[in-house]
Amino acid sequence: MSSSNTSAPSTKTSVAAISILASGSMAVAKFVVGIAIGSLALISEALHSSIDLVATIITWAVVRVSDQPADAEHHYGHGKFESVSALGIIALLYVLAGGILVQAYSHLREGAPPPSISAIPFVVLVIDIGVNLWRARALHRAARDTKSQALAADALHFASDVMGSTAVIVGLVLAGFGFWWGDAAAAIAVAVMIALLGLRMARETVETLLDRAPEGALEKATAAIKAVPGVVDVDRLRVRMVGATHFIDAIAKVPRTYPIDRVEDIKRRAQAAVTKTFGDADLTFTAVPVARDNESVRERIMVIARNSGLAIHHVTVHDIGGKLIVGIDLEVDGDMALHAAHDIAHGLERAIREDFGEDVEVDTHIEPLEPELPWGTDAAPDRVEAIKAALTGFADGGAIHDIHNVRVRNTDAGEVVNFHCRAQPSMSVIKVHESVDEIERKLRRAFPTVKRVISHAEPTRG
């Protein structure tokens, strides 16, 4: 799993801590002034700020928990704690909005006197608007950088506080001009804004808890994985958010001819791709081997043998009159009894017919698996020179020339000879192979103790 920036936890907690101090001081100032001048709207806004203070304290505590890594009981981390805390804050907001509406209705019904107007509440409210604008911007930036749902909810609170304070100012101005209901109307406006805020938060929080895929995440993740070399297609993909992490489950098709280590490399590249796309992502990648449209007959046969755990080589394929003719060299343990080896060959042939059809003609040549020769010692220099001279003589005047880098090793099974040689760049592989094979055969006839000859042909330098 990739992690977000290492400074993210400290960023979230520090921003939340500063927000606590600001919330507390402004809530006290508005409440004291509201009581002093008798303004229901200002008291309501103070209570709103108090709820924000409680919410900020909860946020500060929750982000410390949500940043903890996954453990034995929380396999997907602790990010959902932020969503649960947001639900609690939403409940507090609706309780507050209901209480303000009831009190405002009571003031309107009873014809409560307007508040006392002075410069002090306006100064407090202007300062509050400035502070809330700064807090909302700082929290929004931190929430965007850390993908914290709790900080995003807190930022939304403070943005709504700006509108609430503005409504209170309008209500006080109306009261100052003699409209006695202005303060109660402003309180109702504050309650409505709180309710709308809670509704928006509730929708986003519930969607997260219900594992709703983030907007556009499915398309982005699919495109990122499809762009990885080796991925044929994405069969199924699911995305969900837990805190700031995108958890992605993908079932992708890969060529069945690929070896396991190459499939593992595709998985690593896919993880890197989604991490680059989302920043913090945890990918579960299931590879499904599939046959590609351009898969050759030889590749299909190699897959069949590999799935059976068999070693084959020299696969030849012919189409004679619309009939498929297949020849295979099958390697088995040299000490194996013939009837057991024949059963293995028969099973391989049956598997090939099941894949290509019963009319395919399959001939299997059984040969002993080349044993792993024990590591020996370097031969004496005069022995190396003798073999090198023989190789040079065998190649003299032929297509192969410039015998070099000759090495001879003594093993319990016999001598092993390695050498490099050169041939014309335009020669075909078949011609080079036949020429080198002829040299190897001559060497083994001349030196019966040579068990194996390994040659490496290089193009002639221009």
Side-chain angles (χ1 to χ4, degrees):
M1 175 193 301
S2 67
S3 61
S4 59
N5 193 299
T6 54
S7 64
S10 60
T11 299
K12 289 198 286 186
T13 53
S14 61
V15 170
I18 294 173
S19 190
I20 290 174
L21 180 61
S23 296
S25 59
M26 294 313 303
V28 170
K30 286 187 286 187
F31 189 78
V32 170
V33 175
I35 292 293
I37 67 174
S39 171
L40 175 62
L42 191 52
I43 294 173
S44 299
E45 183 59 22
L47 292 175
H48 184 197
S49 295
S50 299
I51 294 295
D52 286 344
L53 175 60
V54 173
T56 306
I57 294 174
I58 293 174
T59 300
W60 180 78
V62 166
V63 294
R64 295 172 68 89
V65 176
S66 66
D67 283 327
Q68 294 179 4
D71 54 32
E73 296 180 349
H74 303 88
H75 299 176
Y76 293 94
H78 299 76
K80 286 287 178 77
F81 279 89
E82 295 193 10
S83 300
V84 174
S85 72
L87 286 179
I89 294 170
I90 291 167
L92 291 175
L93 288 174
Y94 274 107
V95 170
L96 174 61
I100 293 173
L101 287 174
V102 170
Q103 193 63 34
Y105 174 74
S106 176
H107 277 220
L108 291 174
R109 185 182 62 185
E110 298 173 1
S116 302
I117 304 300
S118 68
I120 295 177
F122 292 100
V123 172
V124 170
L125 287 168
V126 169
I127 295 174
D128 182 62
I129 289 174
V131 171
N132 283 331
L133 283 174
W134 173 82
R135 287 191 298 173
R137 183 177 179 182
L139 284 168
H140 177 73
R141 188 184 301 113
R144 181 190 59 201
D145 294 341
T146 62
K147 295 182 175 64
S148 169
Q149 191 172 40
L151 286 184
D154 225 9
L156 201 56
H157 278 160
F158 297 134
S160 70
D161 280 353
V162 173
M163 295 184 292
S165 297
T166 302
V168 174
I169 290 176
V170 173
L172 291 177
V173 170
L174 289 174
F177 280 101
F179 298 97
W180 64 270
W181 46 264
D183 185 61
I188 292 174
V190 171
V192 170
M193 282 186 285
I194 293 173
L196 292 175
L197 167 67
L199 181 63
R200 178 178 174 182
M201 286 180 55
R203 184 183 72 250
E204 295 176 354
T205 303
V206 169
E207 286 178 351
T208 299
L209 289 173
L210 293 178
D211 288 332
R212 182 179 184 272
E215 191 71 27
L218 180 66
E219 292 77 12
K220 291 180 181 178
T222 301
I225 295 175
K226 278 187 174 182
V228 175
V231 174
V232 176
D233 196 7
V234 175
D235 196 34
R236 190 187 72 182
L237 191 140
R238 297 182 294 186
V239 184
R240 66 170 173 167
M241 288 286 293
V242 179
T245 304
H246 290 77
F247 283 88
I248 304 170
D249 296 326
I251 297 178
K253 296 177 180 178
V254 300
R256 65 175 184 170
T257 55
Y258 281 9
I260 294 176
D261 56 348
R262 188 166 181 182
V263 174
E264 287 299 317
D265 182 64
I266 291 174
K267 291 181 180 181
R268 288 191 293 270
R269 289 174 179 267
Q271 174 65 69
V274 296
T275 299
K276 182 179 180 180
T277 301
F278 296 103
D280 191 357
D282 187 302
L283 175 65
T284 299
F285 187 98
T286 301
V288 178
V290 295
R292 293 176 295 179
D293 294 338
N294 62 345
E295 189 175 281
S296 68
V297 173
R298 183 175 285 102
E299 286 177 326
R300 289 169 64 182
I301 292 174
M302 296 297 290
V303 168
I304 294 170
R306 187 179 66 213
N307 291 343
S308 301
L310 301 177
I312 65 172
H313 66 277
H314 199 201
V315 179
T316 58
V317 180
H318 303 283
D319 186 348
I320 300 178
K323 184 176 183 179
L324 187 64
I325 310 298
V326 178
I328 303 171
D329 285 3
L330 171 65
E331 299 180 4
V332 297
D333 186 351
D335 295 328
M336 180 182 293
L338 177 59
H339 70 86
H342 182 267
D343 289 342
I344 293 175
H346 183 70
L348 175 60
E349 294 171 359
R350 183 172 60 250
I352 293 173
R353 291 191 179 96
E354 289 175 355
D355 193 275
F356 290 93
E358 288 298 326
D359 61 337
V360 63
E361 182 180 308
V362 186
D363 289 309
T364 305
H365 170 68
I366 302 173
E367 62 181 46
L369 183 66
E370 189 72 26
E372 292 187 9
L373 298 178
W375 191 252
T377 59
D378 288 328
D382 57 343
R383 181 65 172 178
V384 176
E385 287 300 323
I387 290 179
K388 180 178 180 180
L391 288 169
T392 302
F394 297 146
D396 187 33
I400 303 301
H401 58 277
D402 188 15
I403 304 293
H404 61 284
N405 197 16
V406 177
R407 288 143 292 153
V408 181
R409 274 91 183 207
N410 295 318
T411 71
D412 292 339
E415 290 176 305
V416 178
V417 177
N418 299 70
F419 71 92
H420 288 200
C421 60
R422 298 191 188 279
Q424 291 300 321
S426 59
M427 282 184 64
S428 68
V429 172
I430 293 177
K431 181 63 177 175
V432 172
H433 180 71
E434 290 175 349
S435 300
V436 171
D437 269 358
E438 178 62 26
I439 294 174
E440 292 177 0
R441 284 193 293 270
K442 290 180 179 178
L443 181 66
R444 282 196 294 270
R445 286 196 296 267
F447 296 88
T449 56
V450 172
K451 170 65 178 177
R452 189 177 181 190
V453 182
I454 303 169
S455 60
H456 173 71
E458 303 168 346
T460 302
R461 295 173 180 174

